[in-house]
Amino acid sequence: MSHAYDFNALEPKWQRHWDEHGTFRAAQPGEPESDAPKFYVLDFFPYPSGAGLHVGHPLGYIATDILARFMRTRGYNVLHPMGWDAFGLPAEQYAVEHGVHPRITTRNNTETYQRQLKMLGLSYDWDRELATCDAEYYRWTQWIFLKIYNSWYDPEYRWTDPAGRPVVGAARPIDKLPIPPDVKAQGPPAIEAYRAEHRLAYLAEVPVNWCPALGTVLSNEEVTNEGRSNRGDQPVYRRPLRQWMLRITEYADRLLKDLEFLDWPEPIKLMQRNWIGRSAGAYVDFAIEGSGPAAGQIIRVFTTRPDTLFGATYMVLAPEHRLVPIITRPERREEVRTYVNQAKQKSELDRTADNKQKTGVFTGAYAVNPVNRKRVPIWVADYVLISYGTGSIMAVPGHDTRDLEFAETFGLEVVAVVKPPTGRDWRGFVDDGVSVNSPPDGEDHFSGQCVLNDLPTPEAKCKLIRWLEERDLGEGTTQYKLRDWLFSRQRYWGEPFPILYGEDGRIVAVDESELPVALPEIEDFRPHASDDPDAQPQTPLSRATDWLTVRRGGEVFRREANTMPQWAGSCWYYLRFCDARNAQALIDPQVERYWMGGKLPDGTPKVGGVDLYVGGAEHAVLHLLYARFWHKVLYDLGVVSTPEPFHRLFNQGMIQAHAFRDPRGMYVEHEKVEFRDNTPYHKETGQALTSAVEKMSKSLKNVVNPDAIIHEYGADTLRLYEMYMGPLEKSKPWNTQDIIGVHRFLQRVWRLVVPPAPEGQAASAPVLNPALGDVRDEHVERLLHKTIKKVTEDIERFAYNTAIAQMIVWINEAAKTKVLARDQVERFLQILSPLAPHICEELWQRLGHKSSIAYAPWPSYDAALTRDDAVEIAVQVLGKIRGRITVAADATDDQIVELARKIEAVARELAGRPIKRAIVARGRLVNLVV
RNA sequence: GGGUCAGUAGCCCAAAUGGCAGAGGCAAGGGACUUAAAAUCCCUCCAGUACGGGUUCGAAUCCCGUCUGACCUACCA
């Protein structure tokens, strides 16, 4: 056996050992080990890109691995799986650019990722590995889509969920949808059409980001601020396309409300709340004045401030509003048409760009404000968006910033209807206040007119809504920013839809028994590019002619040729991990209840199944919202037993790195940088460089490869360093030079057990430290109890950096002591083992243990031994330190004060003045106030 | 423009409910060992907590304002 800490030999040895012995296999319900309480700890699974991992990626994986290993030693049956988010744009884009089939690049990338993760000693149960692009997996993604397609949302449905909570609203099978008699009377096609309108998955014409040069639709993230594709810088156009949509908006309220029960970081909850964007307000109906085609038309607006209705001095329609051409007066028609066309030309981004200047045109038409029967002019302006509310607003320039800007630009009337607290100007005051001029004093135009004067804003809102509702002039309502989920992509590398179209255009869902609808192997998976913005999209699958056409009972059907977005596969993978090889069902119900169920410490059932979910904050909204949505549908349909997928969420910070740039602003690789007098210079050109801490990224040329670090220091050192850098949730810069610190620590741990090789001959010398005996040094033992306590508590709260610091303290003391008991070293190895598993397994074995340290029960500590008998406390006079005293830990306040005032410096300060008050902070300080 | 979080030695970071600003690591300096270097070991140095107010016996911690940085969001009526 080697005397040296040869991490390059022993780390692969233990990784092989764990693999071969199935050390980290999680027991399924029914197996004996499943009697233990379960713990499900999950990482955001990665998208395996071609570049492989850099040291920033595994930060969260290391953190969860430590917790998984810790929980195993605490007697839990731990589910800790890993898989691949393997469908999606980057693989396909790479394939398009390099001519390699995405299946091949994906497999290569996945293998690289797995190799790199195994090198880190992560204790995944690899038997559960999955990839979203495998047919056995996406079969169930398609199955869920069918469930969603075959459901409708019944907002009235009252039921009690498995957790015993009363719930209003549920997804229900489409055949339970009540069909109105008049629809029924029109026969089966009408019934089918009615159902189609209510399904949770439906087809609709919606505006998409269409990039003809790339031949595809792009997601918003793929479109630059200039309205071009972020790859290739090609123009992108907004155009309507018939797309699959998922009715996530039906779940807006439940998605919002259930956030409350989740143990998630507040900022993430806030981001989800903002994204859902619930606002309570009212619809108000304005009648259009005059004769002609516009007569009798109603403009319905949405407002969150019905209390300011008396201040509505004009109205604005979005340029796309259907009433614009109808109400525009002939003399204004030309001007309005020009404006509307201009607005259409502009991209969404141009329109919302921060050019403060408001634009708009007057239509010539007027409407009547229902609350005071005054005429208000109707304008068209692009600051009103067609996609929110009703696409039209009542403008209250007195108390809305945007309306005020517009009114000032066009010289429209501004009136005060809300009185702000004293000292603030009413003009542009948008917060709650007290209603005034509603109506103005002395004006009382008609009987039954609403009077809001002197009412605080919340009450004025209620009163006005009631007034509107009684007269059928509007109603209270709630709006959401959340839109239905656009679910089609004109791409190859994704899940095919299990949908067929008949020759007459009717939609037929593929039967569950026929799943999966396999993605066809096609030669040409490129999208068809064009310079013509009006070119029809041709999806790659639409060219797979054999696949596309299906014959059934003499009828010819055409398959849906779009694919699902990348989010689809990641919406439910946490469920599949529980039962990854089940060929009969997505998940066995008993297995689902075992892994996803559970209770909080106080005994109440948890709303979420995964006990801990760790990943970066960049998926705060989309992935986490989509997964919650799917989970709730599955919950309503009885497939899962918890209302939420992820009980506790933790966001790790980002590892940053120094990025260097030359005077032209080009990034420079680290290898080409040298330091002179702490200033970076280019090694070859000698130019002075600028340095900034930025995100670690290939494009910034500041990535650090884990393979190189592992080769030089070992995986245990890398794991330890990443955890030691700072708090897990914070972003912090990588400094390779700092690694040596934790590496020295591990070297010290090694030498505690294995003595340095004697001069010359290593082979015959003892390989255990002969100093290890059975005598315990009191000081080291006490410090060990303190260390066990601190490490236990710190792991539980994810403060690995301070846990490591405490272990360094212990090793530094232990190394100084000549007397060290074997069991002290063993207990120390146990608390170190979740963080640095390889070295601990090796030393554990060398100390004579036959079984893995991974399941050795976590050592306990004696609280009495963690407390010192005597403590030093500071003595303050009037808050200033004047001296220190050492007292017994259980000294009374009076004893402490007596001792304190005897200190010469303290006595001098007191100078005979009586002590008015003595504040004693136990074990810390005493403050004497005179 | 709005929101969220953060700012402590040259660097990374610690400091329960406010209670002695320092646990730990890196770097730097000195020393021991060595022919020398590396490695190892020992010792030392350095800030008053971004800035300005306030509350308090006492503030890195709480409150207000300002500055800087990161992230989210962006005409959502």
Side-chain angles (χ1 to χ4, degrees), chain A residues 75-150:
Chain A
Y76 286 84
N77 184 24
V78 173
L79 177 55
H80 189 221
M82 179 47 82
W84 318 109
D85 189 13
F87 266 142
L89 289 177
E92 182 166 349
Q93 207 60 47
Y94 183 90
V96 168
E97 284 164 20
H98 296 85
V100 189
H101 196 282
R103 190 174 303 286
I104 294 169
T105 54
T106 301
R107 194 188 307 123
N108 291 345
N109 296 348
T110 303
E111 278 167 11
T112 304
Y113 266 57
Q114 197 195 47
R115 181 183 59 76
Q116 288 187 304
L117 292 183
K118 285 196 171 178
M119 266 170 45
L120 286 161
L122 301 173
S123 64
Y124 293 120
D125 179 354
W126 286 108
D127 288 353
R128 297 168 187 264
E129 181 185 359
L130 56 81
T132 55
C133 63
D134 289 344
E136 309 87 75
Y137 181 86
Y138 69 69
R139 165 188 181 175
W140 299 105
T141 311
Q142 293 169 335
W143 184 87
I144 296 171
F145 177 82
L146 287 179
K147 286 282 174 211
I148 294 170
Y149 174 75
N150 283 317

